[in-house]
Amino acid sequence: MEGPRDDEVLVRLVASGICRTDIDFSDDWDKADGPVVLGHEGAGVVERVGKRVKGVKPGDHVVLSYQSCGLCHQCRSGRPAHCTRLYELNFGFQRPDGSNGLQRSGVQGHFFGQSSFATYSLATERNLVKVSKNLPLDLLAPLGCGLQTGAGTVMNSLNVSRKESIAVFGTGAVGLAAIMASHLVKADPIIGVDIKPKRLKLALELGATHVIDNRRQEVAERIAGITGKGVDYVVETTGNPQMHELAISVLNPHGVVALLTGEEGTDALPEGKRTLGIIQGDAVPQHFIPKLIKLYLAGKFPFDRLVKFYKFKDINRAIADAKRGDTIKPVLRISKAT
Ligand SMILES: [Zn+2]
Ligand SMILES: [Zn+2]
């Protein structure tokens, strides 16, 4: 790996969460395109910083998140999740100038500006968040993508209010973060939908007022039974086209479906209904991650209940467990914090 450039921060990784995007990329990767380093929920200790880096110094603890350019209109208006270069900076496996800090090893890095399935990462100040040294870095790792996305969708993108009704389709890490956030903003009812009884049980413990087992119960009918009509919001995390259609069908007039699956939204729906394609819960990591940590410490965002730790060498077992749905949020332990 090259040393950090002027604007880069070399981070020794302590842990990395595994997110569905890592698994999808791994499954769909064309081997002809050569090896890449995935991973985008890293947390670690700053080892070295480039000359222009002011915000962190060696020894600081950091959580890594998605990358943005900092220069475009969206970034400068405080909306880095809508950065015009978002796609290339997070999925392009290269720096903004097209170079690759791992080139000498014959692999491509810079996935989400971090490539955190590794012992070291080249990040920048734009995609890292300094955190207290008193907190366990391995636990904080998954805040950088999945948990931020689920919670941010409810608190930022949809701005769900007290007494509004919400259904969350899919109760994986992103869906459960959305349920915890819905509970925080006092939405009511909060309806979790999944096909895994174990996850539905956890959803109830984390704030869902009702759960629906999609294999046994007619979802639309149950929702109508609970609310007397439809719901104001649906957070769709499954990526299943039938669930997408179902989400629109159970929506109240002026309701919104949040699509967390990479799909684009549309506004061509009757009764003022909308679907929104949401990226990273419209979160600015430097603001939102510290907020989630504060809520966690106050017992209001108990995301530790989703996490299971694995040794780095057991990454394939962690992925298999996540795919089967046995583990909600796998986190790899890569090195010791001190
Ligand atoms: Zn930008
Ligand atoms: Zn992710």
Side-chain angles (χ1 to χ4, degrees):
M1 179 184 276
E2 289 171 14
R5 291 193 175 175
D6 288 357
D7 62 338
E8 286 179 333
V9 178
L10 180 69
V11 177
R12 176 173 61 78
L13 287 156
V14 168
S16 177
I18 299 175
C19 185
R20 191 166 64 189
T21 308
D22 297 310
I23 298 176
D24 291 346
F25 258 82
S26 165
D27 285 348
D28 300 340
W29 191 252
D30 184 347
K31 284 190 179 133
D33 290 334
V36 294
V37 183
L38 298 170
H40 64 284
E41 289 183 342
V45 181
V46 173
E47 181 104 348
R48 269 199 292 154
V49 301
K51 266 185 275 179
R52 291 211 310 273
V53 173
K54 300 277 179 267
V56 287
K57 57 182 188 312
D60 283 346
H61 287 195
V62 291
V63 169
L64 305 182
S65 190
Y66 68 96
Q67 188 59 287
S68 56
C69 80
L71 300 169
C72 72
H73 175 68
Q74 295 298 338
C75 281
R76 298 207 317 198
S77 309
R79 293 187 293 269
H82 297 282
C83 174
T84 53
R85 298 186 70 187
L86 194 82
Y87 192 85
E88 54 171 307
L89 293 179
N90 289 280
F91 304 111
F93 296 101
Q94 58 186 19
R95 290 189 177 101
D97 70 358
S99 66
N100 165 26
L102 298 179
Q103 195 176 15
R104 282 183 297 197
S105 348
V107 296
Q108 299 173 75
H110 306 285
F111 189 54
F112 279 77
Q114 50 175 299
S115 286
S116 62
F117 295 160
T119 47
Y120 286 88
S121 172
L122 280 175
T124 72
E125 278 189 275
R126 282 203 64 78
N127 76 323
L128 61 75
V129 182
K130 192 174 154 181
V131 295
S132 161
K133 289 185 190 176
N134 299 324
L135 300 170
L137 271 174
D138 52 1
L139 180 62
L140 302 187
L143 289 172
C145 180
L147 298 173
Q148 164 171 277
T149 298
T153 296
V154 171
M155 294 162 82
N156 304 327
S157 318
L158 299 175
N159 195 14
V160 175
S161 309
R162 196 186 159 83
K163 296 282 175 202
E164 289 188 306
S165 52
I166 185 165
V168 177
F169 288 3
T171 54
V174 174
L176 287 171
I179 284 174
M180 286 189 281
S182 300
H183 179 65
L184 258 167
V185 302
K186 300 191 166 60
D188 189 26
I190 303 166
I191 305 166
V193 180
D194 206 300
I195 53 172
K196 296 256 175 193
K198 219 172 83 183
R199 291 208 226 179
L200 290 173
K201 188 167 164 277
L202 185 57
L204 282 171
E205 292 169 18
L206 294 175
T209 57
H210 304 76
V211 291
I212 301 174
D213 184 334
N214 193 19
R215 289 169 316 170
R216 292 162 190 270
Q217 295 165 323
E218 207 51 67
V219 175
E221 234 170 72
R222 270 295 311 279
I223 289 179
I226 294 164
T227 64
K229 42 187 174 134
V231 284
D232 301 321
Y233 303 99
V234 178
V235 175
E236 206 309 85
T237 72
T238 70
N240 177 329
Q242 284 172 332
M243 295 303 281
H244 182 161
E245 259 173 54
L246 180 66
I248 295 167
S249 76
V250 299
L251 214 53
N252 287 336
H254 294 280
V256 185
V257 177
L259 300 168
L260 273 56
T261 53
E263 280 173 89
E264 299 273 336
T266 162
D267 43 25
L269 293 172
E271 299 180 296
K273 299 181 187 183
R274 282 178 300 153
T275 61
L276 286 178
I278 293 186
I279 299 163
Q280 294 288 336
D282 289 286
V284 178
Q286 290 78 6
H287 298 154
F288 201 63
I289 289 174
K291 182 170 168 172
L292 291 180
I293 291 173
K294 232 181 243 171
L295 289 167
Y296 164 72
L297 292 173
K300 292 178 175 172
F301 189 70
F303 72 94
D304 54 320
R305 301 206 43 202
L306 319 185
V307 169
K308 183 174 172 189
F309 294 106
Y310 294 80
K311 291 179 184 160
F312 193 15
K313 69 180 172 66
D314 293 330
I315 182 169
N316 287 338
R317 184 160 63 83
I319 288 173
D321 288 358
K323 275 185 171 176
R324 271 201 314 275
D326 292 344
T327 299
I328 293 172
K329 173 50 73 179
V331 173
L332 305 168
R333 282 184 166 138
I334 296 170
S335 70
K336 293 253 188 295
T338 47

